[in-house]
Amino acid sequence: MRDTTLNTIAIVIFGVTMASLLGPIIDLSPAVVAVFAAVGLGVFSLDQLGLGGRIGDILMDTVAWASPEHRQRVLHHEAGHFLAAVLLDIPVEAYTLNTWEAWKQGIPGQGGVVFGPSDPAALARLTPQSIDRYCQVWMAGIAAEQMIYGNAEGGNNDTATLSLFWQALGRSPAEAPLKQRWAALQAKTLLEQHRDAFDALVAAMGDRAPVADCCALIEQHRTPLKAV
């Protein structure tokens, strides 16, 4: 079960419990509590069955987004993906910084940098050099957090994606963690070499600049890139 699913259930249960406890004190009718519980469970069921947990994701994102530190971590994380993709000649199609933005743009999942190709069959036909580049882009969000904060709080989806990709290539699952560590180290080195471009990109993405403008900004600030 997804974390957001569990969190949504917890919120509904907490709300019903608090309403039941405070009802007699504030003269709240039991019928109101029952309606609240029914609506909450109804929304939860609709979310899980029809929307793939999107409402829960948006709710959890909204709560987390209230923290300035969380917003900055997400921004730096996604800027790491974006910068690495551009520097390694992987086209960026779109980016979002939270689930609500992703939903509005019709992008599945909880948001992030969309780069292609994303079709597993197409990825499986990539050259060894291209495979290494994609692995670096997937791990660049973690690398960006490590560079700025000294540790990474996000990136579970990134490591899971790389592991699934590694298995799709027919490689041993036991090799995936080694590839993740290698790619994270390479990505961190890449971001450090282009720190001016990274800082400029963070500011631009914070203002929700279009993808084309972000790419142009990177070109303005990038330093000559050695062959990877």
Side-chain angles (χ1 to χ4, degrees):
M1 188 175 288
R2 302 170 60 183
D3 288 342
T4 50
T5 299
L6 296 174
N7 289 334
T8 304
I9 294 173
I11 289 174
V12 172
I13 294 175
F14 176 77
V16 172
T17 301
M18 292 302 297
S20 299
L21 293 175
L22 296 177
I25 299 176
I26 61 176
D27 196 25
L28 183 66
S29 170
V32 175
V33 177
V35 170
F36 175 81
V39 171
L41 292 175
V43 171
F44 167 76
S45 299
L46 173 64
D47 184 32
Q48 296 305 308
L49 298 176
L51 299 175
R54 217 68 189 287
I55 294 177
D57 288 339
I58 292 174
L59 180 59
M60 294 302 104
D61 242 4
T62 301
V63 173
W65 207 249
S67 166
E69 181 181 354
H70 174 79
R71 292 197 298 270
Q72 286 301 307
R73 272 191 178 269
V74 170
L75 179 57
H76 284 84
H77 183 105
E78 299 306 335
H81 288 304
F82 197 125
L83 179 59
V86 173
L87 294 176
L88 295 173
D89 297 322
I90 296 174
V92 173
E93 300 173 4
Y95 74 89
T96 58
L97 299 180
N98 54 57
T99 308
W100 175 243
E101 292 179 5
W103 197 356
K104 289 193 296 183
Q105 293 188 31
I107 298 173
Q110 295 175 276
V113 177
V114 180
F115 53 91
S118 57
D119 176 42
L123 291 174
R125 293 192 296 268
L126 294 173
T127 64
Q129 182 186 51
S130 295
I131 290 172
D132 285 346
R133 292 188 175 199
Y134 269 91
C135 289
Q136 290 179 59
V137 174
W138 279 318
M139 298 306 294
I142 291 175
E145 286 193 58
Q146 292 173 339
M147 181 177 71
I148 300 299
Y149 300 100
N151 69 313
E153 294 182 357
N156 290 337
N157 289 339
D158 301 327
T159 55
T161 299
L162 194 154
S163 295
L164 290 173
F165 171 60
W166 203 245
Q167 294 179 44
L169 294 175
R171 308 291 181 84
S172 170
E175 297 177 358
L178 297 177
K179 195 65 176 180
Q180 291 169 3
R181 288 193 290 271
W182 174 87
L185 179 60
Q186 295 297 315
K188 185 178 179 182
T189 300
L190 183 65
L191 298 182
E192 290 173 343
Q193 291 174 343
H194 298 272
R195 182 59 187 269
D196 288 345
F198 178 79
D199 291 340
L201 180 61
V202 167
M205 291 177 67
D207 291 334
R208 304 305 193 275
V211 169
D213 291 353
C214 290
C215 292
L217 191 65
I218 292 172
E219 292 301 323
Q220 293 174 12
H221 290 82
R222 70 184 296 171
T223 56
L225 181 63
K226 298 180 180 179
V228 178

